[in-house]
Amino acid sequence: MSQRPVVIHSELDVLESIMICFFLLVYYLSSAACSELLSRHRRTWIIDSFTIEEGHPGPFPYELGTISIERDHRVYFDLYGEGVDEDPKGVLSIDKESGILSIHRPVDYEEKRLLKLSFEARKADLSIETKLGIEISILDINDNPPRFQMDLYEIRIDEENTQGSNLLTVVAYDRDEAGTPNSTFHYEIKSVSPNTPDTEFFINEFGTISFKGCLDHEVAEMFTILVEAKDHGEIVSLSSSTTVIIHVQDGNNHLPIISGQTGTGRVKEDETGSSPLRLHATDKDTLNSPAWRARFTIQGDEGEHFKVETDSDTNDGILTVVKPLDFEEGVQRELSISVENEAPYFFCKVKERTSSGLWTVGTSKVAEPHSVKVIITVEDINDPPVFSVTVKEAMLEENAPIGTWVERVTAVDPDSSHAKDFVYKIGSDPAGWVAVDPHAGDITTVKTPDRESPHVVNGVYTILLHAVDNGNPPQTGTATLQIHVTDQNDNVPQPTVQHMDVCVSDSPTTTNITAFDLDENPFGGPFTFELLGDVKGKWKLNPSYGYTAGLVKEPGVYAGPHTIDMKISDLQGEYGVYNLSVTVCDCSAMANCRTHREGATRATSGAFCC
């Protein structure tokens, strides 16, 4: 056993302490030795002490050694401190007369590594002759196996993990003395279940677990690994173990395939929302995972008439018409539909298992998706006739005679089976001006056109034409004909009012007379106004040209009703003659001179009195 120092805390002088040291005999189990003086700190002297091996099997008590001092008088021994009357209590005792040290129970290095005690030698009168400080070291034995921080480790990893990836780290610790073989240990994988040929797990000196080869969820969804930590004890080697459970999450290492299709594969032209086909996908990956869920793509749909949506329950691809198809553009549509997964594809295969290092494997993240050709048949329906021009313009002179040809419209029936089996009809003719030949499409007048008709808006008369086939049910095509009606001078200018009141006055009084013409320029105003008959000294016009004339009453005109004949001519000389009724009244004496004509004057903007 190794020897450790004993500290002398004697109150005697230094010489006495040295003498005691020379005569101190230390006995071990089979031998005893007296150590030399190692060091001196003021009045403290340190000499060799004892060591106790932890975990001694007994039997107890056993003798550790004997302290003997050569004196000519009797000495009594006492021992105090750790291991005696301080924790851990009851380990040590000393025979008061013989100085024999005894061990009464085992000690634990991990609980206490050093026992600090006080040794006293007393004379018969109980006075202290010697007082020593003793340190007794506990010698470590390999009584602690390495212990893992956890009894069970459990993780989930992706199937796409590549070999050599660090999966997890297990950690163990040993309570035995640091830096000795008792506390030095290594990790080792003792077993793996299931033991698959393409996956091999290994662990490094730091407890990090990795693997060689490839992971395959379909081969092993879960691995149970027993990991051992074993120390390097010289006499006995101790170990413990932990369990590591690795769940392999399913990745997309199986491509989906389109295994079949159901549905009529037929769709009516001009129809949307129908689903003529359902594609069935098969995938070996985990049900309802991103590696299983299908995603379909259409090729060859130039007109973007279709879409494919995935049924979340069945993983089927549902082909739906989103844009109308035209039978006349082709009876069949050939599409290519491919299928992939939501999760990206990953493939791993072991090529060679080497004796050292990582294995040789082949991996890929690119794969050609499975695709199929599908034929969609477009069913013909009765399409309506189609006009060659849906909005057509025509010119027609106002007052044209009945039977005047206006325009011709043409339509075709896109259905080959119904070609030309349709007739033309008038859809809307608000004034009843025209008729259409049911077969030729010629439009002629049946009534004299009038540009001043309220149905003519900004010079344009609008009618609707129909082409109706004989299908079941009949289909109708529609076109619009806008007839621009050219104006004729078939209207003369007119005054806006023909009744007016003028107040009696000693000076000339002017009343405005406004005219209008239903014809457009150049058949309208400005107008020329002219008074007819004997008006000299009574009435005159100022001004007499424009859209409004000024009727001037001379002072000599008597009160009462008057009739004035007025001629109004347009720019082309067309004119009208009108009898204007003018009432002259004393506005101050006859306040109600206009009352009896309220109805007439209410509508006249230019008539006034006073």
mmCIF file of all heavy atoms in Angstrom, residues 43-81:
data_model
loop_
_atom_site.group_PDB
_atom_site.id
_atom_site.type_symbol
_atom_site.label_atom_id
_atom_site.label_comp_id
_atom_site.label_asym_id
_atom_site.label_seq_id
_atom_site.Cartn_x
_atom_site.Cartn_y
_atom_site.Cartn_z
ATOM 1 N N ARG A 43 4.815 25.271 13.354
ATOM 2 C CA ARG A 43 4.879 24.276 14.436
ATOM 3 C C ARG A 43 4.205 22.972 14.038
ATOM 4 O O ARG A 43 3.873 22.150 14.863
ATOM 5 C CB ARG A 43 4.238 24.828 15.706
ATOM 6 C CG ARG A 43 4.911 26.123 16.177
ATOM 7 C CD ARG A 43 4.359 26.546 17.493
ATOM 8 N NE ARG A 43 4.673 25.559 18.510
ATOM 9 C CZ ARG A 43 4.145 25.551 19.728
ATOM 10 N NH1 ARG A 43 3.271 26.482 20.063
ATOM 11 N NH2 ARG A 43 4.481 24.642 20.602
ATOM 12 N N THR A 44 3.926 22.790 12.732
ATOM 13 C CA THR A 44 3.247 21.582 12.259
ATOM 14 C C THR A 44 4.242 20.677 11.560
ATOM 15 O O THR A 44 4.969 21.119 10.662
ATOM 16 C CB THR A 44 2.110 21.943 11.292
ATOM 17 O OG1 THR A 44 1.204 22.757 11.971
ATOM 18 C CG2 THR A 44 1.435 20.695 10.767
ATOM 19 N N TRP A 45 4.241 19.381 11.949
ATOM 20 C CA TRP A 45 5.140 18.419 11.325
ATOM 21 C C TRP A 45 4.308 17.341 10.651
ATOM 22 O O TRP A 45 3.324 16.877 11.179
ATOM 23 C CB TRP A 45 6.063 17.797 12.373
ATOM 24 C CG TRP A 45 7.018 18.802 12.962
ATOM 25 C CD1 TRP A 45 6.787 19.658 13.982
ATOM 26 C CD2 TRP A 45 8.324 19.057 12.506
ATOM 27 N NE1 TRP A 45 7.868 20.444 14.220
ATOM 28 C CE2 TRP A 45 8.865 20.093 13.316
ATOM 29 C CE3 TRP A 45 9.141 18.510 11.499
ATOM 30 C CZ2 TRP A 45 10.151 20.601 13.150
ATOM 31 C CZ3 TRP A 45 10.425 19.012 11.361
ATOM 32 C CH2 TRP A 45 10.925 20.053 12.171
ATOM 33 N N ILE A 46 4.721 16.935 9.422
ATOM 34 C CA ILE A 46 3.968 15.942 8.640
ATOM 35 C C ILE A 46 4.807 14.686 8.506
ATOM 36 O O ILE A 46 5.960 14.729 8.078
ATOM 37 C CB ILE A 46 3.610 16.479 7.248
ATOM 38 C CG1 ILE A 46 2.783 17.766 7.375
ATOM 39 C CG2 ILE A 46 2.870 15.436 6.441
ATOM 40 C CD1 ILE A 46 2.486 18.411 6.061
ATOM 41 N N ILE A 47 4.208 13.565 8.881
ATOM 42 C CA ILE A 47 4.881 12.264 8.724
ATOM 43 C C ILE A 47 3.946 11.334 7.994
ATOM 44 O O ILE A 47 2.790 11.645 7.735
ATOM 45 C CB ILE A 47 5.270 11.686 10.089
ATOM 46 C CG1 ILE A 47 4.018 11.425 10.936
ATOM 47 C CG2 ILE A 47 6.259 12.589 10.812
ATOM 48 C CD1 ILE A 47 4.342 10.718 12.241
ATOM 49 N N ASP A 48 4.422 10.118 7.618
ATOM 50 C CA ASP A 48 3.588 9.178 6.871
ATOM 51 C C ASP A 48 2.359 8.771 7.662
ATOM 52 O O ASP A 48 2.383 8.699 8.889
ATOM 53 C CB ASP A 48 4.396 7.930 6.521
ATOM 54 C CG ASP A 48 5.305 8.185 5.329
ATOM 55 O OD1 ASP A 48 5.124 9.240 4.679
ATOM 56 O OD2 ASP A 48 6.170 7.332 5.052
ATOM 57 N N SER A 49 1.322 8.458 6.893
ATOM 58 C CA SER A 49 0.075 8.008 7.497
ATOM 59 C C SER A 49 -0.332 6.690 6.879
ATOM 60 O O SER A 49 0.482 6.010 6.263
ATOM 61 C CB SER A 49 -1.003 9.090 7.322
ATOM 62 O OG SER A 49 -2.173 8.693 8.001
ATOM 63 N N PHE A 50 -1.652 6.318 7.034
ATOM 64 C CA PHE A 50 -2.152 5.012 6.584
ATOM 65 C C PHE A 50 -3.059 5.164 5.363
ATOM 66 O O PHE A 50 -3.569 6.236 5.068
ATOM 67 C CB PHE A 50 -2.951 4.351 7.711
ATOM 68 C CG PHE A 50 -2.172 4.216 8.988
ATOM 69 C CD1 PHE A 50 -2.362 5.126 10.021
ATOM 70 C CD2 PHE A 50 -1.266 3.189 9.163
ATOM 71 C CE1 PHE A 50 -1.655 5.001 11.199
ATOM 72 C CE2 PHE A 50 -0.562 3.064 10.350
ATOM 73 C CZ PHE A 50 -0.753 3.979 11.376
ATOM 74 N N THR A 51 -3.307 4.068 4.677
ATOM 75 C CA THR A 51 -4.303 4.016 3.584
ATOM 76 C C THR A 51 -5.243 2.852 3.823
ATOM 77 O O THR A 51 -4.838 1.824 4.375
ATOM 78 C CB THR A 51 -3.633 3.832 2.211
ATOM 79 O OG1 THR A 51 -2.837 2.654 2.228
ATOM 80 C CG2 THR A 51 -2.771 5.038 1.863
ATOM 81 N N ILE A 52 -6.489 3.038 3.412
ATOM 82 C CA ILE A 52 -7.519 1.990 3.548
ATOM 83 C C ILE A 52 -8.103 1.714 2.170
ATOM 84 O O ILE A 52 -8.469 2.642 1.449
ATOM 85 C CB ILE A 52 -8.657 2.433 4.493
ATOM 86 C CG1 ILE A 52 -8.104 2.834 5.862
ATOM 87 C CG2 ILE A 52 -9.697 1.335 4.632
ATOM 88 C CD1 ILE A 52 -9.152 3.446 6.782
ATOM 89 N N GLU A 53 -8.160 0.481 1.823
ATOM 90 C CA GLU A 53 -8.771 0.105 0.540
ATOM 91 C C GLU A 53 -10.288 0.071 0.686
ATOM 92 O O GLU A 53 -10.805 -0.558 1.607
ATOM 93 C CB GLU A 53 -8.252 -1.250 0.094
ATOM 94 C CG GLU A 53 -8.728 -1.641 -1.306
ATOM 95 C CD GLU A 53 -8.179 -2.984 -1.730
ATOM 96 O OE1 GLU A 53 -8.728 -3.998 -1.264
ATOM 97 O OE2 GLU A 53 -7.189 -3.012 -2.485
ATOM 98 N N GLU A 54 -10.961 0.766 -0.234
ATOM 99 C CA GLU A 54 -12.425 0.798 -0.143
ATOM 100 C C GLU A 54 -13.010 -0.587 -0.414
ATOM 101 O O GLU A 54 -12.396 -1.409 -1.106
ATOM 102 C CB GLU A 54 -13.004 1.819 -1.142
ATOM 103 C CG GLU A 54 -13.013 1.368 -2.578
ATOM 104 C CD GLU A 54 -13.940 2.170 -3.467
ATOM 105 O OE1 GLU A 54 -14.995 2.630 -2.987
ATOM 106 O OE2 GLU A 54 -13.611 2.327 -4.664
ATOM 107 N N GLY A 55 -14.162 -0.774 0.161
ATOM 108 C CA GLY A 55 -14.907 -1.992 -0.119
ATOM 109 C C GLY A 55 -14.280 -3.259 0.409
ATOM 110 O O GLY A 55 -14.513 -4.354 -0.123
ATOM 111 N N HIS A 56 -13.436 -3.167 1.478
ATOM 112 C CA HIS A 56 -12.782 -4.366 2.032
ATOM 113 C C HIS A 56 -13.855 -5.361 2.467
ATOM 114 O O HIS A 56 -14.798 -5.004 3.169
ATOM 115 C CB HIS A 56 -11.890 -3.966 3.215
ATOM 116 C CG HIS A 56 -10.933 -5.048 3.613
ATOM 117 N ND1 HIS A 56 -11.323 -6.188 4.284
ATOM 118 C CD2 HIS A 56 -9.585 -5.163 3.433
ATOM 119 C CE1 HIS A 56 -10.280 -6.953 4.503
ATOM 120 N NE2 HIS A 56 -9.191 -6.353 3.997
ATOM 121 N N PRO A 57 -13.702 -6.610 2.066
ATOM 122 C CA PRO A 57 -14.778 -7.578 2.346
ATOM 123 C C PRO A 57 -14.828 -8.063 3.786
ATOM 124 O O PRO A 57 -15.795 -8.723 4.190
ATOM 125 C CB PRO A 57 -14.451 -8.732 1.397
ATOM 126 C CG PRO A 57 -12.972 -8.659 1.209
ATOM 127 C CD PRO A 57 -12.604 -7.208 1.261
ATOM 128 N N GLY A 58 -13.794 -7.684 4.614
ATOM 129 C CA GLY A 58 -13.806 -8.184 5.983
ATOM 130 C C GLY A 58 -13.072 -9.516 6.119
ATOM 131 O O GLY A 58 -12.308 -9.893 5.215
ATOM 132 N N PRO A 59 -13.222 -10.306 7.209
ATOM 133 C CA PRO A 59 -14.184 -9.983 8.294
ATOM 134 C C PRO A 59 -13.731 -8.785 9.140
ATOM 135 O O PRO A 59 -12.569 -8.423 9.140
ATOM 136 C CB PRO A 59 -14.207 -11.271 9.114
ATOM 137 C CG PRO A 59 -12.855 -11.889 8.866
ATOM 138 C CD PRO A 59 -12.481 -11.554 7.454
ATOM 139 N N PHE A 60 -14.670 -8.185 9.790
ATOM 140 C CA PHE A 60 -14.436 -7.017 10.622
ATOM 141 C C PHE A 60 -14.564 -7.402 12.105
ATOM 142 O O PHE A 60 -15.348 -8.294 12.452
ATOM 143 C CB PHE A 60 -15.448 -5.925 10.260
ATOM 144 C CG PHE A 60 -15.314 -5.439 8.847
ATOM 145 C CD1 PHE A 60 -16.204 -5.873 7.860
ATOM 146 C CD2 PHE A 60 -14.297 -4.554 8.507
ATOM 147 C CE1 PHE A 60 -16.083 -5.434 6.566
ATOM 148 C CE2 PHE A 60 -14.193 -4.110 7.199
ATOM 149 C CZ PHE A 60 -15.088 -4.543 6.213
ATOM 150 N N PRO A 61 -13.866 -6.674 12.994
ATOM 151 C CA PRO A 61 -12.837 -5.684 12.641
ATOM 152 C C PRO A 61 -11.558 -6.370 12.253
ATOM 153 O O PRO A 61 -11.293 -7.501 12.599
ATOM 154 C CB PRO A 61 -12.689 -4.885 13.919
ATOM 155 C CG PRO A 61 -13.004 -5.855 15.004
ATOM 156 C CD PRO A 61 -14.067 -6.782 14.457
ATOM 157 N N TYR A 62 -10.736 -5.649 11.463
ATOM 158 C CA TYR A 62 -9.412 -6.157 11.175
ATOM 159 C C TYR A 62 -8.410 -5.064 11.545
ATOM 160 O O TYR A 62 -8.742 -3.871 11.612
ATOM 161 C CB TYR A 62 -9.277 -6.602 9.718
ATOM 162 C CG TYR A 62 -9.339 -5.477 8.700
ATOM 163 C CD1 TYR A 62 -8.168 -4.779 8.359
ATOM 164 C CD2 TYR A 62 -10.530 -5.138 8.063
ATOM 165 C CE1 TYR A 62 -8.215 -3.771 7.423
ATOM 166 C CE2 TYR A 62 -10.582 -4.142 7.137
ATOM 167 C CZ TYR A 62 -9.423 -3.447 6.807
ATOM 168 O OH TYR A 62 -9.461 -2.451 5.887
ATOM 169 N N GLU A 63 -7.152 -5.472 11.787
ATOM 170 C CA GLU A 63 -6.132 -4.557 12.289
ATOM 171 C C GLU A 63 -5.469 -3.830 11.131
ATOM 172 O O GLU A 63 -5.024 -4.433 10.148
ATOM 173 C CB GLU A 63 -5.081 -5.339 13.084
ATOM 174 C CG GLU A 63 -4.054 -4.462 13.772
ATOM 175 C CD GLU A 63 -3.099 -5.272 14.647
ATOM 176 O OE1 GLU A 63 -3.582 -6.158 15.405
ATOM 177 O OE2 GLU A 63 -1.891 -5.032 14.553
ATOM 178 N N LEU A 64 -5.475 -2.462 11.220
ATOM 179 C CA LEU A 64 -4.850 -1.648 10.195
ATOM 180 C C LEU A 64 -3.366 -1.434 10.489
ATOM 181 O O LEU A 64 -2.534 -1.450 9.589
ATOM 182 C CB LEU A 64 -5.570 -0.291 10.103
ATOM 183 C CG LEU A 64 -5.006 0.708 9.084
ATOM 184 C CD1 LEU A 64 -5.118 0.152 7.667
ATOM 185 C CD2 LEU A 64 -5.732 2.048 9.175
ATOM 186 N N GLY A 65 -3.012 -1.259 11.761
ATOM 187 C CA GLY A 65 -1.629 -1.022 12.151
ATOM 188 C C GLY A 65 -1.568 -0.646 13.628
ATOM 189 O O GLY A 65 -2.584 -0.594 14.325
ATOM 190 N N THR A 66 -0.322 -0.412 14.119
ATOM 191 C CA THR A 66 -0.133 -0.090 15.533
ATOM 192 C C THR A 66 0.739 1.148 15.659
ATOM 193 O O THR A 66 1.730 1.303 14.933
ATOM 194 C CB THR A 66 0.526 -1.248 16.272
ATOM 195 O OG1 THR A 66 -0.278 -2.420 16.118
ATOM 196 C CG2 THR A 66 0.700 -0.918 17.737
ATOM 197 N N ILE A 67 0.348 2.033 16.609
ATOM 198 C CA ILE A 67 1.160 3.200 16.940
ATOM 199 C C ILE A 67 1.816 2.917 18.289
ATOM 200 O O ILE A 67 1.134 2.621 19.274
ATOM 201 C CB ILE A 67 0.310 4.468 17.017
ATOM 202 C CG1 ILE A 67 -0.309 4.770 15.622
ATOM 203 C CG2 ILE A 67 1.141 5.649 17.481
ATOM 204 C CD1 ILE A 67 -1.217 5.952 15.618
ATOM 205 N N SER A 68 3.163 3.001 18.354
ATOM 206 C CA SER A 68 3.872 2.714 19.597
ATOM 207 C C SER A 68 4.920 3.786 19.848
ATOM 208 O O SER A 68 5.646 4.170 18.914
ATOM 209 C CB SER A 68 4.543 1.335 19.542
ATOM 210 O OG SER A 68 5.278 1.096 20.717
ATOM 211 N N ILE A 69 4.971 4.316 21.061
ATOM 212 C CA ILE A 69 5.947 5.333 21.436
ATOM 213 C C ILE A 69 6.794 4.757 22.579
ATOM 214 O O ILE A 69 6.275 4.304 23.599
ATOM 215 C CB ILE A 69 5.251 6.622 21.901
ATOM 216 C CG1 ILE A 69 4.409 7.202 20.751
ATOM 217 C CG2 ILE A 69 6.289 7.649 22.339
ATOM 218 C CD1 ILE A 69 3.643 8.423 21.149
ATOM 219 N N GLU A 70 8.107 4.776 22.396
ATOM 220 C CA GLU A 70 8.995 4.259 23.434
ATOM 221 C C GLU A 70 9.144 5.315 24.516
ATOM 222 O O GLU A 70 9.783 6.353 24.312
ATOM 223 C CB GLU A 70 10.370 3.904 22.840
ATOM 224 C CG GLU A 70 10.311 2.734 21.874
ATOM 225 C CD GLU A 70 11.681 2.332 21.390
ATOM 226 O OE1 GLU A 70 12.674 2.947 21.862
ATOM 227 O OE2 GLU A 70 11.774 1.400 20.571
ATOM 228 N N ARG A 71 8.517 5.021 25.656
ATOM 229 C CA ARG A 71 8.560 5.943 26.803
ATOM 230 C C ARG A 71 8.797 5.141 28.065
ATOM 231 O O ARG A 71 8.501 3.932 28.137
ATOM 232 C CB ARG A 71 7.219 6.694 26.929
ATOM 233 C CG ARG A 71 7.057 7.820 25.915
ATOM 234 C CD ARG A 71 8.118 8.900 26.059
ATOM 235 N NE ARG A 71 7.573 10.205 25.806
ATOM 236 C CZ ARG A 71 8.226 11.321 25.941
ATOM 237 N NH1 ARG A 71 9.488 11.288 26.351
ATOM 238 N NH2 ARG A 71 7.674 12.470 25.702
ATOM 239 N N ASP A 72 9.260 5.823 29.063
ATOM 240 C CA ASP A 72 9.471 5.146 30.353
ATOM 241 C C ASP A 72 8.248 5.269 31.251
ATOM 242 O O ASP A 72 8.299 4.914 32.425
ATOM 243 C CB ASP A 72 10.704 5.714 31.062
ATOM 244 C CG ASP A 72 10.607 7.219 31.255
ATOM 245 O OD1 ASP A 72 9.556 7.786 30.825
ATOM 246 O OD2 ASP A 72 11.542 7.828 31.795
ATOM 247 N N HIS A 73 7.188 5.760 30.686
ATOM 248 C CA HIS A 73 5.948 5.843 31.458
ATOM 249 C C HIS A 73 4.786 5.421 30.565
ATOM 250 O O HIS A 73 4.888 5.384 29.332
ATOM 251 C CB HIS A 73 5.727 7.275 31.984
ATOM 252 C CG HIS A 73 5.718 8.305 30.888
ATOM 253 N ND1 HIS A 73 6.884 8.906 30.451
ATOM 254 C CD2 HIS A 73 4.695 8.825 30.161
ATOM 255 C CE1 HIS A 73 6.570 9.769 29.488
ATOM 256 N NE2 HIS A 73 5.243 9.713 29.295
ATOM 257 N N ARG A 74 3.729 5.119 31.203
ATOM 258 C CA ARG A 74 2.551 4.624 30.489
ATOM 259 C C ARG A 74 1.876 5.782 29.739
ATOM 260 O O ARG A 74 1.762 6.888 30.270
ATOM 261 C CB ARG A 74 1.589 3.973 31.474
ATOM 262 C CG ARG A 74 0.335 3.441 30.813
ATOM 263 C CD ARG A 74 -0.488 2.655 31.806
ATOM 264 N NE ARG A 74 -0.461 1.236 31.461
ATOM 265 C CZ ARG A 74 -0.989 0.286 32.181
ATOM 266 N NH1 ARG A 74 -1.480 0.558 33.375
ATOM 267 N NH2 ARG A 74 -0.993 -0.955 31.776
ATOM 268 N N VAL A 75 1.368 5.472 28.487
ATOM 269 C CA VAL A 75 0.669 6.461 27.637
ATOM 270 C C VAL A 75 -0.669 5.863 27.187
ATOM 271 O O VAL A 75 -0.750 4.678 26.855
ATOM 272 C CB VAL A 75 1.514 6.833 26.403
ATOM 273 C CG1 VAL A 75 0.769 7.805 25.523
ATOM 274 C CG2 VAL A 75 2.845 7.441 26.834
ATOM 275 N N TYR A 76 -1.660 6.713 27.119
ATOM 276 C CA TYR A 76 -2.995 6.301 26.662
ATOM 277 C C TYR A 76 -3.313 7.029 25.350
ATOM 278 O O TYR A 76 -3.007 8.223 25.209
ATOM 279 C CB TYR A 76 -4.053 6.629 27.724
ATOM 280 C CG TYR A 76 -3.827 5.929 29.022
ATOM 281 C CD1 TYR A 76 -3.146 6.577 30.065
ATOM 282 C CD2 TYR A 76 -4.284 4.627 29.209
ATOM 283 C CE1 TYR A 76 -2.919 5.924 31.258
ATOM 284 C CE2 TYR A 76 -4.044 3.984 30.416
ATOM 285 C CZ TYR A 76 -3.369 4.628 31.441
ATOM 286 O OH TYR A 76 -3.133 4.000 32.613
ATOM 287 N N PHE A 77 -3.942 6.291 24.443
ATOM 288 C CA PHE A 77 -4.184 6.827 23.096
ATOM 289 C C PHE A 77 -5.671 7.148 22.901
ATOM 290 O O PHE A 77 -6.542 6.397 23.339
ATOM 291 C CB PHE A 77 -3.739 5.817 22.025
ATOM 292 C CG PHE A 77 -2.295 5.439 22.151
ATOM 293 C CD1 PHE A 77 -1.916 4.232 22.752
ATOM 294 C CD2 PHE A 77 -1.305 6.284 21.679
ATOM 295 C CE1 PHE A 77 -0.581 3.884 22.865
ATOM 296 C CE2 PHE A 77 0.036 5.917 21.800
ATOM 297 C CZ PHE A 77 0.394 4.723 22.395
ATOM 298 N N ASP A 78 -5.909 8.257 22.151
ATOM 299 C CA ASP A 78 -7.275 8.637 21.732
ATOM 300 C C ASP A 78 -7.242 9.037 20.253
ATOM 301 O O ASP A 78 -6.229 9.554 19.764
ATOM 302 C CB ASP A 78 -7.796 9.803 22.568
ATOM 303 C CG ASP A 78 -8.281 9.352 23.941
ATOM 304 O OD1 ASP A 78 -8.943 8.297 23.993
ATOM 305 O OD2 ASP A 78 -7.992 10.047 24.933
ATOM 306 N N LEU A 79 -8.374 8.806 19.581
ATOM 307 C CA LEU A 79 -8.495 9.133 18.145
ATOM 308 C C LEU A 79 -9.840 9.838 17.930
ATOM 309 O O LEU A 79 -10.883 9.352 18.389
ATOM 310 C CB LEU A 79 -8.420 7.857 17.307
ATOM 311 C CG LEU A 79 -8.141 8.003 15.811
ATOM 312 C CD1 LEU A 79 -6.772 8.669 15.590
ATOM 313 C CD2 LEU A 79 -8.182 6.636 15.140
ATOM 314 N N TYR A 80 -9.821 10.959 17.209
ATOM 315 C CA TYR A 80 -11.043 11.741 16.956
ATOM 316 C C TYR A 80 -11.082 12.122 15.469
ATOM 317 O O TYR A 80 -10.069 12.144 14.779
ATOM 318 C CB TYR A 80 -11.051 13.025 17.804
ATOM 319 C CG TYR A 80 -10.860 12.806 19.280
ATOM 320 C CD1 TYR A 80 -9.598 12.969 19.867
ATOM 321 C CD2 TYR A 80 -11.924 12.431 20.097
ATOM 322 C CE1 TYR A 80 -9.407 12.767 21.218
ATOM 323 C CE2 TYR A 80 -11.733 12.238 21.457
ATOM 324 C CZ TYR A 80 -10.484 12.402 22.009
ATOM 325 O OH TYR A 80 -10.299 12.199 23.341
ATOM 326 N N GLY A 81 -12.266 12.504 14.997
ATOM 327 C CA GLY A 81 -12.419 13.044 13.632
ATOM 328 C C GLY A 81 -13.188 12.128 12.707
ATOM 329 O O GLY A 81 -13.958 11.254 13.137
#
